[in-house]
Amino acid sequence: MVVVALVPAFNAAPRIAATVRATAAIPGVARVLVVDDASSDGTVDAARSAGAEVLQLPANRGKGGAVLAGVAASPDADVFLLVDADLQETAAETARLLPPVLAGEADMTIAVLPPAAGRGGFGKVRDMATRGIRRASGFEARAPLSGQRAVRADLLRGLESAERFGLEVALTIDAVRAGARVQEVEAEIEHLHTGRSLAGFRHRGRQGADIVRALWPRLVGGPARAVLLGVLTLAVLAGLFVGAEAATPTGAAATTGAERVVVVGVAGLSLDDLDAGIVPEIDALWRDGGALSAASVRTLSSRPSTVEAWATLGAGSRVRANLIASAAYASDTPYENTTAGEVTARRTGSEVTGQIAIVNTPLVIDNAGDDVPSLPGSLGDALTAAGLRTATVGNADRIQPDGDLTISRPAAVAVMRSDGFVDHGAVGPELLREDPSAPFGTMADTEAMVATTLAALEEAHVVTVDPGDLDRLRDYDSVMTESERDQLRSAALTSVDTLVGELHDRLPEDTLLLVVGLTPPTSTWSLTPMVASGAGVRPGYLHSPSTQRTGLVTLTDVAPTVLDAIGADIPADMIGAPLRYQAGSVDLDRLQSMNDTANGRERIYYPIALTFIVVQALGYAAVLLVLRLAPDMARHLVGPARILVLTFAAWPLATFLLRLVPSVYRLGGGAHVVLWLVALAIALAAARVRRRPLVPLALICGLTVLLLLLDMAFGAPLQMSSLLGYSPHTAARFTGFGNTTFAVFGACAVVAAALHVHHAPRRRDALAAAGAMFLVVLVADGAPQLGADVGGILTYVPVFALTLWALAGRRISMKVLVLAGVATLVVLALAVGLDLLRDPDDRSHLARFVLASGDDQGNFWTTISRKWATNLRVLRQSIWAWMVPIIAVFALYVLVVARGWRRLLPMGSAVRAAVIGTLATGVLGWLVNDSGVVVAALAFVYLGPLLTLLALSDSHHPAVLHGPRAAAEAS
């Protein structure tokens, strides 16, 4: 019988030579095969110098993997003698294990070593192994962890799985269950003890984990494992829903309905102005029975303006507007040889129906933006449809130094109807007074503004008020010194504050007063205050179902709030929602911190994203160079190349971890360094798990999925103001998963699931686990109560279903594609149905979109075309678009030029499913989300590392057999 001694070795250079010589001297041993488990010392040379054949593995696979590799490389063996690499001369004692097996008296013998006498641990791992073997097979093992064994070759070749240090436990159980005769033989063998040091406990911890993995499938049957997986999956889903529900603000609706609403717009009001003695009347509103929040005032354009803010407020959705929208006049004002009212009626094809006319209404509506869901005039139309009247009071006119008059009366556009008229109000020079110290020598007449507003309330139900002083100040900016600017701003705010205070004191009790910071104090986006006082208001924070964030609302929430307050129907295509009230004392510092964090994120976002893209371009160019170098030249560069691409894969995870320390944004450029250091630390930690080349990437992707799931369970706090989340300044949404996170989430789920199947010894269990992960990720992203992501459903359902089908080894046919499409529609319908069952105030944009499409079929196509228009705009403007050609060129080289398609991605393999699934996530996500190419770019972030790790392992670390037999096979 041919006896082959297998010696698995990892960094055993000091002891391996003596072990080989002692083992080779055992009578009957045909050869000694050392399986080098990707050592980094001189193990290979030392073993070869001692006369052993050496099999070099491309990556560390652990003891079990190394033994199975040696078995596969020894097809002629009848009996294997397993010898640990650290036995040195005492390896000769393993000769005692061979006679019972060679004589046919036993199928496997196990060496029982002398007691460690305090040189080992506390025996907890050994006891666990003993109990596990006894329970799984009935065998009472004296030496359950002994690696010195003589085994019939067929037993080792039939071993189902060998989880690294779980080899001995797995082999004993499988052998006994197969009817093998097992004997334990005492032998005077000494090996290197790890003792009770930190390294020893760490070693035994890894050993214990491997033993648990070996025992798990052998103690728990397939049906029981399926049940446990199902229970775990349901528990995770329940935790997501319960956690998200607990984190959702519990704002309440107004206590009673209001009869009237007054909206005062204050351009340039900042959170820093509050509680600083600058606007005491406004402070009194929210401190004495009112409610306060920070407001996102982003409109459709890239730069804020007052006229666009008023237009957005009136549209109930983000729109574009320019100065022509400010051209409002009393209808009887002479204009173009007739009156402003007649001109407006002619241009809109209507009649003169109000005291105020916006003469350029058709242009205002046409310029609002391509395919916006609702247009300027929507608020006025909804109020008129409810039998309610509108009014506006405001004038921000400027008399230029050359005497020209700049007409600016933007508050009117908020309550105009689509016919261009507002029922009541005043917008003329009667609202102004001369003041030589004010910008342009003009200032709002507070008494006239108050009197006119109160008079308008006698006739109208909703009044917009804009004194215009801060707009005049902004337009005057270029001719002021900084000290003069501060002085004039203080005077303008004092005037506005006085106006608000007098209005509050004199408004009827049934009036809701809203003070809205229409634009940020500078030309860059920032959160502004929004204050509610009067009828129906509960003291505390303002809250919006649009944001699901305590203390954060949006400008588009104002129109629905106005309509809801006075009992009018809210058009379904308005994207905002009525404000709600969350009781409690307001922490102004919290709102300012939210704004400061968002400002920090905005300052560093572009340079950090650009740096990431440029570094990847340079990094993959370097990887291509490494792949083209000869193996001997590239050997020392492979390790750094792996760390580099793992750092790329860890970068998105690092951006979310960085959000745990919001103050890091204050570092400015230093945040770049911190981010890259965190990503590098993750990569180095993952790379320490050297079982197989792709395991570190699987770990990084798995950790990313886990972190995002935990974040969702706590209300997604890491999404807000994170680099790959959404900014309260510029986001289109403030709850659930944004499109960038969706791309990272989906790609990581595909890669982690596919690589788990690729590495797992039990494919059926791995497929079940992958399916459970896909289900959890899909629900987390698509459920209305969680991610509320329609694009996620449209992408994840087909991609996950087809990836799972491919991982099961099935061919994807046209029928399977059709079934995946049908499943997508079914899941989407289920999500819509669940959303429609919720309270109307809690519904997501999905239910509101469906309801709007049902009422107006054109709304469906408007929404689709709007998303496509945004998609194309992002493609032209986003720096993330550069990522696609970078990864495409690299992938083309690896898969086509270097002919790696079939070699690296064999037909039916899990790694091929991972690559195609990641591509599909990026491309399909690109098509169905309005962030477009950004989705593809972030999904492809994981494609580069996956292909790199495969190519580096294939090109520079093949499994190599050294020794006489290798030479004979080569000849």
Side-chain angles (χ1 to χ4, degrees):
M1 300 178 75
V2 177
V3 178
V4 174
L6 287 183
V7 185
F10 175 67
N11 288 343
R15 305 171 72 90
I16 188 68
T19 301
V20 168
R21 285 191 289 268
T23 304
I26 296 174
V29 172
R31 64 177 180 277
V32 177
L33 175 61
V34 172
V35 184
D36 176 65
D37 199 13
S39 298
S40 57
D41 63 357
T43 296
V44 172
D45 293 338
R48 292 178 65 188
S49 66
E53 294 181 359
V54 179
L55 176 65
Q56 283 185 274
L57 299 183
N60 184 273
R61 293 171 56 181
K63 184 176 183 180
V67 168
L68 292 184
V71 171
S74 307
D76 59 332
D78 298 303
V79 174
F80 287 103
L81 180 64
L82 305 185
V83 180
D84 286 347
D86 60 351
L87 302 186
Q88 295 186 291
E89 290 79 4
T90 65
E93 282 287 296
T94 60
R96 299 186 180 195
L97 303 175
L98 286 173
V101 176
L102 296 177
E105 298 172 0
D107 301 300
M108 179 169 69
T109 53
I110 304 173
V112 179
L113 278 60
R119 294 173 295 168
F122 294 104
K124 301 299 183 182
V125 175
R126 182 196 61 210
D127 293 345
M128 177 181 68
T130 300
R131 291 193 299 270
I133 293 171
R134 182 195 308 125
R135 183 169 180 178
S137 67
F139 181 74
E140 191 68 39
R142 294 168 56 200
L145 303 180
S146 175
Q148 326 319 315
R149 303 184 178 213
V151 192
R152 271 196 4 245
D154 58 315
L155 286 179
L156 266 178
R157 294 189 181 111
L159 185 63
E160 180 183 353
S161 62
E163 287 84 354
R164 302 176 71 83
F165 288 121
L167 168 69
E168 290 84 7
V169 171
L171 179 57
T172 302
I173 293 173
D174 289 356
V176 173
R177 283 180 171 180
R181 294 162 298 169
V182 179
Q183 292 183 14
E184 292 185 306
V185 179
E186 293 187 0
E188 294 298 320
I189 296 175
E190 287 291 331
H191 66 87
L192 186 64
H193 293 281
T194 55
R196 296 176 182 177
S197 63
L198 178 61
F201 287 120
R202 187 167 58 244
H203 166 75
R204 283 184 288 278
R206 291 195 300 266
Q207 186 181 37
D210 290 336
I211 290 170
V212 169
R213 283 194 291 270
L215 289 173
W216 166 253
R218 292 170 173 87
L219 290 176
V220 183
R225 293 200 299 273
V227 171
L228 288 173
L229 179 62
V231 170
L232 177 61
T233 303
L234 291 176
V236 171
L237 291 175
L240 284 173
F241 282 102
V242 171
E245 181 67 23
T248 300
T250 56
T255 55
T256 58
E259 294 296 326
R260 296 171 179 81
V261 179
V262 174
V263 181
V264 180
V266 186
L269 182 65
S270 76
L271 290 167
D272 290 332
D273 294 326
L274 302 184
D275 210 24
I278 299 174
V279 285
E281 297 294 341
I282 294 176
D283 285 335
L285 293 186
W286 60 273
R287 287 211 174 275
D288 302 330
L292 172 68
S293 72
S296 173
V297 292
R298 176 67 189 269
T299 54
L300 194 59
S301 297
S302 59
R303 296 180 69 84
S305 73
T306 304
V307 63
E308 192 162 278
W310 280 116
T312 292
L313 189 154
S317 62
R318 290 175 174 145
V319 297
R320 185 181 299 111
N322 53 31
L323 197 58
I324 63 171
S326 300
Y329 303 87
S331 292
D332 58 1
T333 301
Y335 193 89
E336 294 184 358
N337 297 321
T338 179
T339 64
E342 292 295 338
V343 170
T344 301
R346 183 178 73 244
R347 291 178 176 179
T348 60
S350 63
E351 298 178 352
V352 178
T353 58
Q355 293 180 357
I356 307 299
I358 294 84
V359 295
N360 294 318
T361 294
L363 290 176
V364 173
I365 294 175
D366 288 345
N367 292 343
D370 296 332
D371 304 311
V372 296
S374 57
L375 297 166
S378 293
L379 175 58
D381 287 344
L383 289 168
T384 300
L388 304 173
R389 294 181 298 279
T390 60
T392 187
V393 178
N395 186 308
D397 291 353
R398 284 82 107 180
I399 300 176
Q400 303 294 341
D402 59 6
D404 289 343
L405 175 64
T406 299
I407 298 296
S408 180
R409 300 151 184 187
V413 76
V415 285
M416 77 174 189
R417 294 184 293 273
S418 55
D419 66 2
F421 289 96
V422 180
D423 293 320
H424 304 282
V427 294
E430 67 272 15
L431 299 175
L432 306 177
R433 63 182 175 85
E434 292 184 0
D435 185 343
S437 66
F440 301 103
T442 305
M443 201 164 190
D445 187 330
T446 301
E447 292 184 5
M449 294 282 294
V450 171
T452 306
T453 301
L454 294 175
L457 275 177
E458 295 292 330
E459 304 291 339
H461 299 84
V462 176
V463 183
T464 56
V465 181
D466 184 0
D469 289 333
L470 285 159
D471 271 337
R472 280 184 283 270
L473 177 66
R474 178 173 292 186
D475 206 32
Y476 202 65
D477 188 75
S478 61
V479 296
M480 292 185 293
T481 64
E482 186 169 349
S483 60
E484 186 180 11
R485 182 185 302 110
D486 292 341
Q487 182 179 358
L488 291 177
R489 184 173 186 273
S490 178
L493 283 174
T494 298
S495 177
V496 171
D497 190 57
T498 301
L499 169 65
V500 170
E502 291 194 16
L503 277 177
H504 176 257
D505 292 340
R506 299 170 63 181
L507 286 175
E509 291 185 359
D510 61 359
T511 304
L512 169 64
L513 174 62
L514 296 175
V515 179
V516 182
L518 293 171
T519 61
T522 66
S523 60
T524 58
W525 294 111
S526 186
L527 301 179
T528 68
M530 186 178 295
V531 182
S533 179
V537 174
R538 300 170 184 253
Y541 285 109
L542 284 172
H543 155 62
S544 168
S546 300
T547 66
Q548 295 292 337
R549 304 279 177 177
T550 298
L552 179 64
V553 300
T554 73
L555 191 61
T556 55
D557 292 324
V558 176
T561 299
V562 169
L563 294 169
D564 182 69
I566 54 181
D569 291 337
I570 302 172
D573 50 3
M574 285 186 174
I575 64 174
L579 297 177
R580 299 170 72 89
Y581 303 93
Q582 186 162 353
S585 59
V586 174
D587 183 357
L588 185 58
D589 290 340
R590 179 180 180 276
L591 302 184
Q592 291 171 328
S593 176
M594 183 192 307
N595 185 52
D596 292 343
T597 301
N599 284 335
R601 185 258 191 195
E602 293 299 315
R603 284 193 297 269
I604 66 174
Y605 174 78
Y606 184 86
I608 278 187
L610 180 61
T611 301
F612 181 51
I613 293 168
V614 171
V615 170
Q616 283 189 96
L618 297 175
Y620 286 116
V623 170
L624 288 178
L625 178 63
V626 172
L627 292 175
R628 290 183 63 86
L629 292 174
D632 289 342
M633 296 176 62
R635 182 175 296 114
H636 300 294
L637 299 176
V638 170
R642 283 177 170 159
I643 296 299
L644 178 65
V645 296
L646 287 175
T647 303
F648 295 159
W651 192 87
L653 174 60
T655 65
F656 292 111
L657 292 175
L658 205 67
R659 182 64 182 84
L660 293 171
V661 188
S663 58
V664 77
Y665 289 166
R666 299 175 187 171
L667 297 176
H672 289 63
V673 178
V674 174
L675 177 59
W676 281 103
L677 287 176
V678 172
L680 177 61
I682 296 170
L684 290 171
R688 288 181 61 85
V689 184
R690 300 187 298 170
R691 300 174 182 177
R692 292 175 184 172
L694 299 179
V695 168
L697 178 61
L699 286 174
I700 290 172
C701 289
L703 287 174
T704 304
V705 170
L706 178 60
L707 179 67
L708 293 176
L709 286 173
L710 289 172
D711 185 42
M712 180 57 64
F714 286 95
L718 299 184
Q719 290 289 303
M720 182 62 74
S721 293
S722 67
L723 293 169
L724 295 183
Y726 32 69
S727 166
H729 293 168
T730 59
R733 62 183 296 172
F734 306 88
T735 184
F737 282 141
N739 287 340
T740 48
T741 304
F742 146 81
V744 170
F745 199 35
C748 282
V750 168
V751 172
L755 294 186
H756 175 62
V757 173
H758 175 64
H759 293 129
R762 293 171 300 279
R763 194 177 187 90
R764 182 176 297 179
D765 286 357
L767 284 171
M773 175 192 282
F774 285 159
L775 176 62
V776 170
V777 169
L778 172 63
V779 172
D781 185 75
Q785 301 91 328
L786 299 174
D789 186 8
V790 179
I793 294 174
L794 295 177
T795 301
Y796 286 175
V797 174
V799 169
F800 289 174
L802 294 174
T803 300
L804 201 60
W805 187 263
L807 290 174
R810 306 292 186 88
R811 188 175 63 88
I812 296 177
S813 63
M814 182 57 66
K815 179 181 178 180
V816 173
L817 290 173
V818 171
L819 289 175
V822 171
T824 303
L825 296 178
V826 169
V827 173
L828 183 60
L830 180 62
V832 171
L834 291 174
D835 206 8
L836 291 173
L837 292 175
R838 302 169 73 199
D839 185 276
D841 289 338
D842 295 328
R843 289 171 183 165
S844 72
H845 61 284
L846 175 59
R848 294 197 295 270
F849 167 69
V850 170
L851 291 174
S853 298
D855 295 335
D856 178 9
Q857 293 298 319
N859 184 69
F860 174 81
W861 297 111
T862 297
T863 301
I864 297 301
S865 57
R866 174 170 54 87
K867 286 183 175 291
W868 268 106
T870 305
N871 205 322
L872 293 174
R873 184 177 71 251
V874 171
L875 177 61
R876 293 190 298 267
Q877 298 177 354
S878 176
I879 59 171
W880 287 105
W882 303 351
M883 274 293 301
V884 175
I886 291 171
I887 299 299
V889 169
F890 179 74
L892 283 173
Y893 175 84
V894 171
L895 299 178
V896 179
V897 176
R899 300 179 181 179
W901 176 251
R902 294 185 182 277
R903 188 178 68 258
L904 301 180
L905 308 175
M907 181 69 72
S909 66
V911 288
R912 175 177 283 206
V915 169
I916 295 176
T918 305
L919 279 170
T921 300
V923 173
L924 189 54
W926 181 347
L927 296 176
V928 302
N929 286 281
D930 52 12
S931 292
V933 71
V934 178
V935 172
L938 286 166
F940 293 172
V941 164
Y942 302 94
L943 192 61
L946 179 57
L947 293 176
T948 299
L949 295 175
L950 285 169
L952 290 175
S953 176
D954 175 76
S955 300
H956 300 291
H957 278 325
V960 180
L961 179 66
H962 302 280
R965 187 161 58 96
E969 291 177 359
S971 63

